Amino acid sequence: MKEKWTADFSKNEKSCFDIKPEISHDAYLEKGALFLGLKKKFGLARIETADRVYMDQHIEARFRLDDLGGYGAVGIMYRIHEKGTYYLALLSSKGYFRLDAVNEGIPAPLIGWTEVPERNLARGWTGSDGSGASLEIIAHGDHFIFLLNGNWIAEVRDDSIPGGHLGFALVSYNTQATEEAGELSAAGADEGISAETGIREAPEGDSPAAKEQYACMAWLDYLSVDSRRSTVNAQHKKYSGSVEVHVENRLRLAESFAAIERYASAYDQVLKAWKQREDSARNIMATITEMRTRTELIFAARMASQLGQYETAEDYIDVCLALSEEGDDGLDALSEKAIILSVRNKYDKLAEFLPGYISRVNNGVDAERLPPLYGLLGHAFWNLNDYHAAAEAWDKAFSLDENNGLYAIKAADAYEMLGKNNEALTRRLAGGNCFLQQKNVNDLETLIPKLLAVGEKSWEAHALAGKWAFVIGNYDRADEELAVSDGLRRSLKAEQNAAAEPAKAPAKKKSKAGAAAAIGPDETGGSAAEAAAAETSGKTPAAKAKAKPKTKAAAKPKAAAKPPSAKAPAAKPKAAKAPPAKPKAATKPPAAKTPAAKPKAPAKPPSAKASSAKPKAPAKPPAASKGKKKGPGTRE
């Protein structure tokens, strides 16, 4: 359709909009404007024209927005092809612009939220009594240009939707209105509409009570479309050049494109901004470098790198560093230089370049830059086959950032190349425990086979494998690995105990020698046995209580010359043979009274047993430390 059309908001039938209220919103004509009131927050209300389809077109719209203290946006829908497929250009109450291509209800951002300069947006444009904002859209094939209050703010290319009709949209992102505002029934939606004109009477005085039922409100005061080819071509030519565009607007748009990963569009805007600046400065003999700031050069280098243009990116960085290496821009440029050298496989230059850069960062306050720089240095040395230097660099990176297990894994690879499997195992365990804490099952799955290959006999390696299997739900594998881990740990503990036993043996033999010495058993029965008992069972008080009467009874007979015959004291009373045989002792009670009548025989036969039990006490090894020994790098 080739025409110039202007909406008439005096009557419903003249407006060409399908005006009717819905459960989610109100729509009606009010004082020569199309009103939209959204009842629910975090929602979208829209109203469309009928039977007016356009492809190339120049749209002019003027609207007002009242976000009622919340956060909302108002805009124009164009090229509405089918239900749920259209372009949506929005201007928010906070002064940001965006464009989405909506395909069957699924939005895809073509321009992310881009800040609109104050000079392009009139103050007080929001509110029911505000001056409003004027938005123009020039749609020429796949090229869209947007003007706000006559000033260029954005452009983009997209050919996903060829043509369609128009619409008016209102969006609420947040509001201070109550939840009850969204519970209005459709039954009362038609109240207040004139039967003659179909126009709703405006609430008296725009009272607060009238506003409480909406999350946000908008008015479309003016809408026109010119689809004539000559008009569209003229407008497109005018704003496609660089004369009518502010450089700052292009650079803002470039940042928005980069934020949504449209790197080609971002790079294109930077190049256009530079060209526009250079064209404007030809008469004052400015150099090219003066037309490109360091921040812009770094941004352009990043965009070029994203597009695979690494040689061009390196040229930008070299120009930036030639201007200055000072400040944050200098550090950013050095960082980009390192990345570009790595991507371009210039490892010898990278290994030569990084130490100086790291030294500069160490002298500053930006410590967060250091771990990736050491990691990059390790990567350079690895590719130069200097595995010792690579291991040291990756170890340093992991010591500065223990949440990045990849540094530890890389160090382990370098140690394996050096044949240092113990060091490699330690680093793999450290990296694996880091992955486990982060529930990074993918990297753990890659790590476990290498870990078990190096740490086949490591209880810590099998424990980590068991925990990983448990996390992914492989409980049989988890039980198997944890059982192997427990067995290896017990074996290790037993070996440690056995290794510690010979160190205590000389002290035990010395106590036996003392018992056989001429000084007598009264001096050997207390110290060595008590020390061994104290180390093993801790029952020192009980041992002392039995030792005192035993030593006194043994001191009376002077039979110390034959210490092996421990049965000699028990041979005097015949009843002493009865206690070893417990059944016979019970059948001869008179024999038990006979030793009791003699005051000189207080030593009972059990004391002989106690003295004969002395050699067995030192046989117990000293108790090993009960603390579990953790391998280096193990993290629970």
Side-chain angles (χ1 to χ4, degrees):
M1 183 178 291
K2 307 296 182 182
E3 64 173 3
K4 181 173 182 179
W5 168 79
T6 302
D8 184 352
F9 295 133
S10 62
K11 292 183 179 181
N12 280 0
E13 59 270 17
K14 291 184 178 182
S15 69
C16 292
F17 278 89
D18 184 15
I19 302 175
K20 58 182 180 181
E22 300 286 350
I23 295 177
S24 62
H25 65 270
D26 276 341
Y28 54 85
L29 298 180
E30 175 187 287
K31 296 180 181 180
L34 174 58
F35 171 83
L36 266 182
L38 189 57
K39 300 175 184 178
K40 293 184 178 181
K41 62 180 180 179
F42 305 110
L44 166 68
R46 67 185 188 186
I47 185 169
E48 303 174 13
T49 62
D51 302 327
R52 310 195 83 86
V53 177
Y54 305 103
M55 296 180 66
D56 290 355
Q57 55 195 308
H58 177 212
I59 305 170
E60 294 183 75
R62 187 170 64 251
F63 42 69
R64 291 168 286 148
L65 170 65
D66 191 345
D67 59 13
L68 300 175
Y71 183 26
V74 62
I76 298 298
M77 304 163 64
Y78 65 99
R79 290 190 179 180
I80 304 175
H81 181 57
E82 294 175 351
K83 188 176 182 179
T85 300
Y86 50 86
Y87 292 110
L88 175 60
L90 291 172
L91 181 65
S92 79
S93 57
K94 294 185 178 181
Y96 287 81
F97 172 81
R98 75 174 288 137
L99 176 69
D100 289 274
V102 183
N103 189 359
E104 296 183 356
I106 301 175
L110 298 179
I111 300 175
W113 286 118
T114 304
E115 185 178 3
V116 176
E118 290 185 3
R119 65 172 177 271
N120 295 351
L121 188 62
R123 291 186 177 181
W125 75 276
T126 58
S128 59
D129 298 328
S131 58
S134 175
L135 177 66
E136 295 181 56
I137 304 172
I138 303 171
H140 186 270
D142 65 346
H143 190 200
F144 307 138
I145 299 174
F146 302 91
L147 311 175
L148 184 61
N149 295 331
N151 296 299
W152 186 101
I153 57 170
E155 67 177 349
V156 72
R157 290 186 178 273
D158 185 78
D159 60 357
S160 59
I161 307 173
H165 53 276
L166 299 174
F168 181 50
L170 175 63
V171 183
S172 172
Y173 299 104
N174 193 10
T175 181
Q176 295 179 355
T178 60
E179 290 291 338
E180 289 76 13
E183 298 176 357
L184 298 177
S185 64
D190 294 332
E191 296 178 1
I193 297 179
S194 170
E196 295 181 358
T197 63
I199 301 176
R200 180 186 293 272
E201 298 294 334
E204 290 187 11
D206 201 18
S207 64
K211 290 185 176 181
E212 286 181 359
Q213 61 180 322
Y214 299 120
C216 57
M217 305 182 296
W219 295 262
L220 179 60
D221 296 313
Y222 176 81
L223 177 66
S224 73
V225 179
D226 194 338
S227 60
R228 294 173 296 181
R229 181 173 297 176
S230 59
T231 303
V232 176
N233 289 343
Q235 292 295 318
H236 181 261
K237 183 178 180 180
K238 177 181 180 180
Y239 289 100
S240 293
S242 60
V243 178
E244 301 293 338
V245 181
H246 290 283
V247 171
E248 294 80 3
N249 289 1
R250 288 198 182 276
L251 295 176
R252 284 194 184 92
L253 181 60
E255 293 176 357
S256 297
F257 281 137
I260 59 175
E261 300 181 356
R262 293 178 63 95
Y263 303 119
S265 298
Y267 188 38
D268 180 59
Q269 291 301 316
V270 173
L271 295 179
K272 286 182 177 180
W274 286 348
K275 184 179 185 304
Q276 181 177 333
R277 201 183 273 158
E278 291 164 9
D279 290 344
S280 301
R282 289 186 187 276
N283 296 331
I284 59 174
M285 303 298 292
T287 64
I288 292 178
T289 54
E290 289 173 336
M291 295 297 101
R292 306 177 184 186
T293 67
R294 290 196 297 162
T295 302
E296 293 167 5
L297 287 164
I298 294 169
F299 181 84
R302 288 170 177 167
M303 296 303 101
S305 295
Q306 291 291 342
L307 298 173
Q309 301 176 18
Y310 299 112
E311 185 175 355
T312 302
E314 188 173 0
D315 290 341
Y316 289 145
I317 293 300
D318 289 340
V319 172
C320 178
L321 292 175
L323 291 173
S324 176
E325 295 186 7
E326 300 301 320
D328 291 339
D329 283 341
L331 292 176
D332 288 341
L334 291 170
S335 177
E336 290 300 319
K337 176 78 171 181
I339 294 171
I340 293 169
L341 290 174
S342 175
V343 174
R344 300 190 69 188
N345 300 329
K346 296 182 177 181
Y347 301 116
D348 52 345
K349 291 185 178 179
L350 182 61
E352 181 182 352
F353 168 78
L354 278 173
Y357 179 24
I358 291 173
S359 177
R360 279 199 56 185
V361 175
N362 271 324
N363 294 332
V365 294
D366 195 359
E368 292 182 358
R369 294 177 183 265
L370 286 174
L373 291 179
Y374 277 108
L376 203 57
L377 183 60
H379 180 68
F381 284 130
W382 171 271
N383 284 280
L384 293 172
N385 298 327
D386 189 346
Y387 303 119
H388 179 75
E392 286 186 346
W394 277 320
D395 274 344
K396 182 64 175 179
F398 186 62
S399 69
L400 295 171
D401 183 6
E402 295 184 352
N403 292 322
N404 194 333
L406 289 175
Y407 294 143
I409 301 304
K410 289 292 187 181
D413 292 339
Y415 280 116
E416 282 186 358
M417 295 300 294
L418 295 171
K420 298 182 177 181
N421 291 333
N422 289 335
E423 288 82 352
L425 176 60
T426 300
R427 272 63 173 185
R428 292 202 188 281
L429 286 170
N433 281 300
C434 181
F435 295 153
L436 183 65
Q437 290 178 357
Q438 298 167 353
K439 295 184 179 179
N440 185 351
V441 294
N442 293 329
D443 284 336
L444 266 177
E445 185 176 5
T446 304
L447 169 67
I448 293 301
K450 294 182 180 180
L451 178 65
L452 293 179
V454 178
E456 182 181 1
K457 297 183 179 180
S458 167
W459 68 266
E460 293 166 301
H462 287 280
L464 182 59
K467 294 174 183 178
W468 161 75
F470 184 85
V471 170
I472 65 173
N474 190 345
Y475 302 117
D476 292 338
R477 171 77 182 273
D479 290 340
E480 178 184 347
E481 294 291 349
L482 292 175
V484 173
S485 172
D486 187 61
L488 291 171
R489 182 165 49 183
R490 290 176 182 274
S491 298
L492 178 62
K493 186 175 181 180
E495 291 175 4
Q496 292 172 343
N497 291 343
E501 184 176 357
K504 296 290 182 178
K508 297 172 188 176
K509 290 180 181 179
K510 185 176 180 181
S511 64
K512 290 181 182 180
I519 57 176
D522 54 329
E523 296 183 14
T524 61
S527 60
E530 288 175 11
E535 287 181 337
T536 55
S537 62
K539 296 181 180 180
T540 308
K544 288 181 180 180
K546 291 183 180 180
K548 288 180 180 179
K550 179 176 62 176
T551 52
K552 288 180 181 179
K556 288 184 178 182
K558 297 181 180 180
K562 295 181 179 181
S565 60
K567 294 182 181 180
K572 291 182 179 180
K574 295 181 180 181
K577 295 181 180 181
K582 291 182 180 179
K584 292 182 180 180
T587 55
K588 295 182 180 181
K593 293 179 181 180
T594 305
K598 294 180 181 181
K600 293 184 180 181
K604 295 182 181 180
S607 64
K609 289 187 177 181
S611 62
S612 63
K614 290 178 184 179
K616 293 185 179 180
K620 277 191 177 180
S625 174
K626 295 183 180 180
K628 298 179 181 178
K629 181 178 180 181
K630 295 184 179 179
T634 302
R635 299 171 61 181
E636 296 294 337

